[in-house]
Amino acid sequence: MGEGVVVGGFRPGRPKTDKLDAVWLAKLAERGMMQASFVPPQPVRQLRDLTRARTVFTQERTRHKQRVEKLPEDAQIKLSTVVSDLFGVSGRAMLDALIAVQRPPHPRRPRPRPHGQQETGSDRGPHRAVRRPPRPPAARAADHR
């Protein structure tokens, strides 16, 4: 009822209910004490609509970027510490490599095995120490001469 008009002030010291407000607004309208509110011209309203839409799109884009950044972090891959902009050229290259299930652009050192796991000969790399068989007692005695 009073949405398109400006009503000056309020009724101080009296209880505020919807019924009392409706009676008060009806009396103000009856007496011609309500003035019309400002309605901007059509181009200004269109500009405001476009600005609101742009704000919503920017918020949506940010939300999607945060979701993309969170996916690798759930797999214990923190790309934001390596790349300043995850959606820049190198950040996108890393994301593409992860999506294609390739090695990352910068190779990392292999992770050590937990204690107690047996090591097979096929997965020994240059970083692993190789145990030599024990030397016969005669060879050890020759070294001490």
Side-chain angles (χ1 to χ4, degrees):
M1 181 175 197
E3 288 178 355
V5 294
V6 175
V7 179
F10 59 95
R11 301 177 337 149
R14 298 192 182 180
K16 184 173 181 331
T17 64
D18 288 342
K19 277 188 176 183
L20 291 176
D21 286 344
V23 170
W24 182 54
L25 288 172
K27 286 182 181 176
L28 288 177
E30 218 175 52
R31 297 176 184 149
M33 297 173 66
M34 295 168 62
Q35 74 184 112
S37 62
F38 171 72
V39 177
Q42 184 66 23
V44 174
R45 290 195 306 252
Q46 288 175 343
L47 181 64
R48 287 180 180 178
D49 289 341
L50 289 173
T51 304
R52 278 190 216 99
R54 182 176 187 265
T55 303
V56 169
F57 290 142
T58 304
Q59 290 169 346
E60 285 290 313
R61 181 187 64 194
T62 303
R63 189 172 67 86
H64 287 298
K65 281 185 173 185
Q66 289 171 343
R67 287 182 67 193
V68 167
E69 185 175 351
K70 188 177 185 313
L71 281 172
E73 286 180 8
D74 288 344
Q76 304 301 320
I77 302 170
K78 183 102 172 153
L79 293 175
S80 60
T81 58
V82 180
V83 184
S84 61
D85 182 15
L86 187 59
F87 295 93
V89 176
S90 58
R92 285 180 187 249
M94 288 182 185
L95 287 173
D96 290 340
L98 286 172
I99 290 169
V101 190
Q102 295 176 357
R103 291 181 59 187
H106 302 288
R108 295 185 319 200
R109 198 172 72 223
R111 297 178 69 176
R113 287 189 187 86
H115 291 288
Q117 284 188 356
Q118 288 294 328
E119 187 176 293
T120 61
S122 62
D123 64 349
R124 284 188 185 152
H127 61 283
R128 294 282 184 187
V130 178
R131 286 192 168 195
R132 295 183 184 168
R135 296 177 67 195
R140 281 188 283 189
D143 288 340
H144 294 297
R145 287 186 201 169

